[in-house]
Amino acid sequence: ENYQVMNYGMGGTIKVHTDVEEGLKPWDDGFLYGGQRLVTYMMYLSEVDGGRTVFSSVGVSQQPRVGDAVFWFNIRSDGSFDTRSYHTGCPVIVGNKWIANKWVRWRSQMWNFPCKRRKGDYFKPFQN
């Protein structure tokens, strides 16, 4: 999938969301563009006051700093949705928050994750 560049001005925010469509299996033939989004790689292109990215279910947040990136898995080894991937963007207090997202889809990586984990196991980095 192509890169997506986004901008949030002062007061800009994004509600709690996930980067996948819940209920769709990654291997579902009806799903366009290579299946479900396996991973998200989000890069910070600017620094702002506020604008943190928050994963509240795991108690993790990241303040935007130029050159930093956050990486996470959106689905588990059995293709089910990983609820720990819900995240939000807090309001920008001062400045313009610029980010770039790169999503890697399931079909292009399916042979890199064939059967090395028990069905339903979590991928790192949120290993419990």
Side-chain angles (χ1 to χ4, degrees):
E1 187 168 341
N2 291 329
Y3 284 92
Q4 177 193 57
V5 177
M6 298 179 69
N7 173 254
Y8 303 89
M10 285 191 353
T13 186
I14 189 165
K15 65 181 181 175
V16 174
H17 68 283
T18 181
D19 292 342
V20 299
E21 292 189 44
E22 294 180 60
L24 289 176
K25 294 295 182 191
W27 53 83
D28 189 357
D29 286 335
F31 192 67
L32 300 176
Y33 308 115
Q36 195 63 275
R37 290 174 174 163
L38 175 65
V39 299
T40 299
Y41 184 74
M42 186 172 71
M43 298 154 278
Y44 295 103
L45 307 176
S46 65
E47 295 184 20
V48 296
D49 289 339
R52 292 183 83 84
T53 302
V54 178
F55 296 83
S56 56
S57 65
V58 291
V60 173
S61 70
Q62 177 66 41
Q63 179 65 35
R65 287 189 302 255
V66 174
D68 283 358
V70 183
F71 173 90
W72 65 90
F73 281 88
N74 295 301
I75 55 178
R76 296 167 39 172
S77 63
D78 64 353
S80 63
F81 171 62
D82 188 340
T83 57
R84 300 170 301 168
S85 69
Y86 276 110
H87 57 285
T88 189
C90 294
V92 174
I93 298 170
V94 175
N96 278 288
K97 177 181 175 182
W98 287 90
I99 62 170
N101 291 307
K102 178 64 178 171
W103 292 291
V104 178
R105 294 199 175 257
W106 178 275
R107 287 185 189 267
S108 62
Q109 297 298 314
M110 61 191 276
W111 301 116
N112 290 331
F113 298 95
C115 297
K116 297 183 187 217
R117 292 173 179 84
R118 290 176 301 158
K119 185 175 182 180
D121 279 357
Y122 292 105
F123 293 109
K124 292 181 180 182
F126 296 142
Q127 196 74 20
N128 286 339

